[in-house]
Amino acid sequence: MATSKDSGKGNAQKSGAGGGQAPAKRGFAAMDQNQQREIASKGGQAAHQKGTAHEFDSEEARRAGQKGGEAVSRNRAHMADIGRKGGESRQSAQRAAAAAAAKNAGNRQGDKDT
């Protein structure tokens, strides 16, 4: 025999999954960012006081960054896209500099005539 509690739980799961809407935020997720940061900060302070907090030294941070760079560089399409954007940026900067130089040269010639 199903109780009212059992039927209520089943209905909540069905409506959340089939309704196409995200479930309502509850608990920590429902708090605004400032409240979340305060709570997280307290957790970090407690870990430092307890002595279980981890702090990166410069060598460990360097290795972590290198590892991340290696992971990104394995994606050839991503690296090609980065290179393409860099080339386009450099080319447009060179064109802009050339246009500015030509404009300045034109201004200087105009000044000599007057």
Side-chain angles (χ1 to χ4, degrees):
M1 182 171 137
T3 63
S4 61
K5 286 184 179 179
D6 293 339
S7 63
K9 287 181 183 177
N11 290 341
Q13 289 176 343
K14 289 178 186 175
S15 64
Q21 296 177 353
K25 291 182 178 180
R26 300 183 308 193
F28 196 75
M31 297 178 191
D32 68 5
Q33 286 187 339
N34 290 333
Q35 286 179 311
Q36 289 180 358
R37 286 180 192 204
E38 284 181 32
I39 292 171
S41 176
K42 288 178 183 176
Q45 290 171 1
H48 280 282
Q49 289 174 357
K50 188 177 176 184
T52 58
H54 181 77
E55 294 185 22
F56 281 98
D57 61 4
S58 60
E59 177 62 23
E60 190 176 11
R62 186 192 66 78
R63 281 182 292 174
Q66 184 177 21
K67 188 175 181 181
E70 289 171 359
V72 169
S73 66
R74 282 191 215 112
N75 183 343
R76 306 258 316 157
H78 176 68
M79 294 303 289
D81 190 37
I82 290 171
R84 189 175 308 106
K85 286 180 182 176
E88 290 170 357
S89 175
R90 183 174 182 184
Q91 186 178 25
S92 65
Q94 288 174 341
R95 285 183 181 163
K103 183 177 179 182
N104 288 340
N107 287 343
R108 280 186 244 135
Q109 289 178 352
D111 290 343
K112 289 179 184 177
D113 292 341
T114 50

